[in-house]
Amino acid sequence: MPTRRPKSSAIASPSTVPKWSARTELVGVRFSLRPKTSAPLFSQYSIGLHAWLLHQVQAMDADLSAQMHDGQSEKPFSLSGLDGRFVSTGQRLMVDRTQTYDWHVSALSKPVVKWLAQWLPQCPTELRLGEVPFTIASVDLALPPMTYSQLMKQAQGEGAVELSFLSPTSFRRKGNHFPLPVPVNVFHSYLRRWNHFSGKPVESNAFLEWVEESVVVAQAQLDTAKVSAGKRGMVTGFTGAVRFGLTTKGRSHPDYAPLFYTLCAFAPYCGTGHKTTFGLGQTVAGWMPEPRSPQLLQDRLSERIDELTEVFLALRKRTGGHRAMAIAQTQATILARREMGESLKAIAADLDLNYETARTYSKLALKQAQV
């Protein structure tokens, strides 16, 4: 088992590291990252951010790492992508060594908050994404430390609430992606996490019925994009800003109106929709209609993966079923990323594939694509 990192590798003295009380159940931290060189970053870099964080957890608490990876239906953390100035060069995404990139990590449960508090004083000085090393220049608070009870008390309000979605946001609906901020989908995604982690569960059906009748989209400025997320597959999601309001009748409900404002305050911690541990659904309070993360390269990659998936499915004798689609998507992902210049070793690691298995997929995909 990996050993705990020595404190000599810490990014700063313990006195400069964000701190919070032992009662804290929610917190968001921001890492300021500086690339050591101007270099291309692989397009699915959010997989690397996810893996890096879980590796840090595993080095100190293997059980918690396992729970964060696959042990719970609702994940007790969320991650953003990198926020900063990127340059698209051909089919590669370039980071600039003169720039600083922000990365947000939110913890939604006391065990993860506790781990974060213990780990930050000995946080490593470097984070590596593929072949690109970043210096961790500093860490500070992005969202204030809270208990769920404090969030409920502080979130009481009236009138409309504005939320902005900085990275593609989507919901699962009848086996497909649903890229629209329909209130019942938005607030169901918050309520699931609230019920799982807050210790103050609310009966879902009645609240969601109230949402359908009482929560309205007063204004929206949106765009959609198709991106790769997680280890396989594509996601169609929306970005932009939405103003949610309540009907007159809805505002009078003694329990659900306060819960509406509480869940809006919870949204920046937990994110919106699915794949929030891979950078999707990043949510902030306020009106910020323009997404801050680069999209062009993701669009190119997703289009190419879609194109290749159709080719590989058409060549299979049995095109139906989950297995056929999974194999076709894996082949398509490997070949599309190879075409963008990424190493097969890095792709295999991202997809949790044995190198020889990835190599077999790659050879077969290249051969079939030329048919």
Side-chain angles (χ1 to χ4, degrees), residues 7-23:
K7 293 196 175 186
S8 60
S9 66
I11 61 171
S13 67
S15 63
T16 64
V17 171
K19 296 179 181 179
W20 45 81
S21 78
R23 296 175 57 247

Side-chain angles (χ1 to χ4, degrees), residues 50-163:
H50 179 274
W52 184 85
L53 181 69
L54 291 186
H55 175 73
Q56 299 301 313
V57 179
Q58 199 273 339
M60 293 180 66
D61 190 334
D63 291 339
L64 179 60
S65 176
Q67 292 173 16
M68 291 172 66
H69 186 266
D70 55 15
Q72 302 187 52
S73 58
E74 300 296 336
K75 305 302 182 187
F77 69 107
S78 66
L79 307 178
S80 75
L82 297 181
D83 177 17
R85 181 179 177 274
F86 292 83
V87 178
S88 181
T89 57
Q91 293 190 347
R92 306 301 301 275
L93 193 67
M94 183 77 71
V95 291
D96 186 339
R97 66 181 181 86
T98 67
Q99 300 294 315
T100 299
Y101 299 83
D102 288 341
W103 177 46
H104 293 241
V105 176
S106 293
L108 311 180
S109 71
K110 185 172 284 188
V112 181
V113 170
K114 180 180 178 181
W115 170 81
L116 200 57
Q118 295 173 338
W119 172 74
L120 282 177
Q122 52 185 310
C123 176
T125 58
E126 182 178 295
L127 183 157
R128 181 175 290 269
L129 293 177
E131 301 300 317
V132 185
F134 290 80
T135 297
I136 302 177
S138 64
V139 184
D140 61 353
L141 286 175
L143 296 168
M146 288 275 180
T147 66
Y148 283 94
S149 294
Q150 288 172 334
L151 192 69
M152 292 179 68
K153 292 178 181 178
Q154 296 184 19
Q156 305 309 310
E158 57 184 43
V161 175
E162 295 174 346
L163 293 176

Side-chain angles (χ1 to χ4, degrees), residues 284-301:
V284 298
W287 190 267
M288 192 180 297
E290 293 298 326
R292 297 184 299 183
S293 57
Q295 199 57 58
L296 179 60
L297 190 71
Q298 284 276 19
D299 289 343
R300 292 174 183 166
L301 178 65

